[in-house]
DNA sequence: TATCTTAATGAAAGTCAATCTCAATCAATT
DNA sequence: AATTGATTGAGATTGACTTTCATTAAGATA
């Protein structure tokens, strides 16, 4: 699914205004970068990536702060928590999905399953629980890793 | 579901033997303690709890090492990963289940849903992925917290 | 039982992701 | 342009977890 970046940035600007926050260059740069990044990422990875683009420096602090902000805005999500590491994903324009994680090679497989989603909603209704977000991680061994001896 | 503690400990002892590991007092103490603990827990909580039982000291290092060992043995599982904290559960004698987590009050609600489990297996088959374990966390607001204000 | 081998332990140091502090800077309003 | 207040960067700090290594204890052997 294609996203209109300008439209996204406008929404983000409005979001910042609503929260009495300032529209800074760092924030716009990061949303730009993330929109084009195209894979799951860790924060430290992003810090280095931003640092390698010499045209503008964004500190580690700001990257962490902006990641949190973009989560609240809804543009990114924590999708995998494993070994004290957090893997994020830019989700704008992507339908919701969950993940299979190979514990051997680290490969991440995405899957969409509406039936599971619906059953989750049913469970929440049963417990009068208002779901905000969820994370389903299935850890195991991918087919390629199983082939190797 | 009731578990026979002695039987569990015997299995654990055999498990240790198989791995050429020693049956130590710390290890037996911890499995004893966990079997009677009866709620979700964090490691630090356990460290303190063990420390408060003055009859025997078990160091933080040993608690961490044993937690990992008991995970491999299959007696405990990481069930919630939130805000850089890990919540564990003693699972012997409990049917598999997943969790609703209230982001307001921290309450944890357990639920069992065979349909979701089966659909997960289907997804894994579809991707030729061999699942080892999974974690489904649904974050939201519980009914009590929604009532307030 | 005494002896021997080797794994386990505890205390402290180390690691690493994430957060905090605070002076300097920048956005936005007037 | 001046003012106000949020944001930033650098480095310090936190907190969960791991590692190191000298000492202790399990358990095999005689
Ligand atoms: Mn994904
Ligand atoms: Mn549980
Ligand atoms: Zn793999
Ligand atoms: Zn609640």
């Amino acid at each position: 699914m294609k996203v209109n970046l300008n439209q996204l940035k406008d929404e983000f600007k409005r979001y910042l205004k609503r929260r009495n926050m300032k529209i800074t260059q760092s924030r716009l740069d990061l949303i730009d970068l993330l929109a084009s990044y195209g894979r799951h990422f860790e924060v430290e990875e992003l810090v280095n990536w931003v640092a390698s683009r010499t045209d503008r420096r964004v500190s580690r602090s700001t990257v962490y702060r902006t990641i949190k902000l973009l989560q609240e805005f809804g543009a990114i999500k924590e999708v995998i928590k494993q070994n004290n590491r957090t893997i994020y994903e830019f989700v704008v324009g992507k339908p919701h999905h969950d993940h299979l994680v190979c514990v051997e090679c680290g490969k991440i497989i995405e899957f969409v399953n509406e039936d599971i989603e619906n059953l989750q909603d049913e469970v929440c209704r049963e417990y009068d629980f208002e779901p905000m977000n969820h994370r389903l991680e299935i850890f195991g061994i991918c087919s390629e890793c199983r082939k190797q001896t």
Side-chain angles (χ1 to χ4, degrees), chain A residues 19-120:
Chain A
R19 290 186 49 171
N20 293 317
M21 298 179 85
K22 292 179 178 172
I23 296 162
T24 66
Q25 200 53 50
S26 299
R27 284 170 180 162
L28 296 177
D29 282 358
L30 280 169
I31 203 168
D32 259 349
L33 177 56
L34 286 169
S36 70
Y37 203 70
R39 51 205 132 110
H40 300 107
F41 64 91
E42 293 179 59
V43 179
E44 212 60 25
E45 190 179 333
L46 211 59
V47 170
N48 295 330
W49 176 245
V50 175
S52 75
R53 310 187 60 185
T54 45
D55 49 325
R56 204 184 149 72
R57 259 164 293 117
V58 181
S59 73
R60 165 173 283 96
S61 309
T62 297
V63 173
Y64 273 100
R65 287 188 276 234
T66 307
I67 286 294
K68 185 181 267 182
L69 180 62
L70 287 172
Q71 261 184 283
E72 288 156 7
F73 174 55
I76 66 181
K77 276 188 185 160
E78 295 181 339
V79 293
I80 295 164
K81 291 263 190 183
Q82 193 188 18
N83 310 327
N84 321 324
R85 296 181 326 138
T86 303
I87 295 177
Y88 294 85
E89 176 170 28
F90 185 77
V91 298
V92 179
K94 276 192 102 168
H96 171 79
H97 60 272
D98 289 295
H99 301 84
L100 309 180
V101 182
C102 179
V103 297
E104 201 68 31
C105 69
K107 182 161 56 205
I108 297 173
I109 299 170
E110 307 185 328
F111 71 89
V112 175
N113 190 303
E114 278 310 318
D115 293 337
I116 292 179
E117 304 296 324
N118 292 333
L119 286 166
Q120 286 181 38

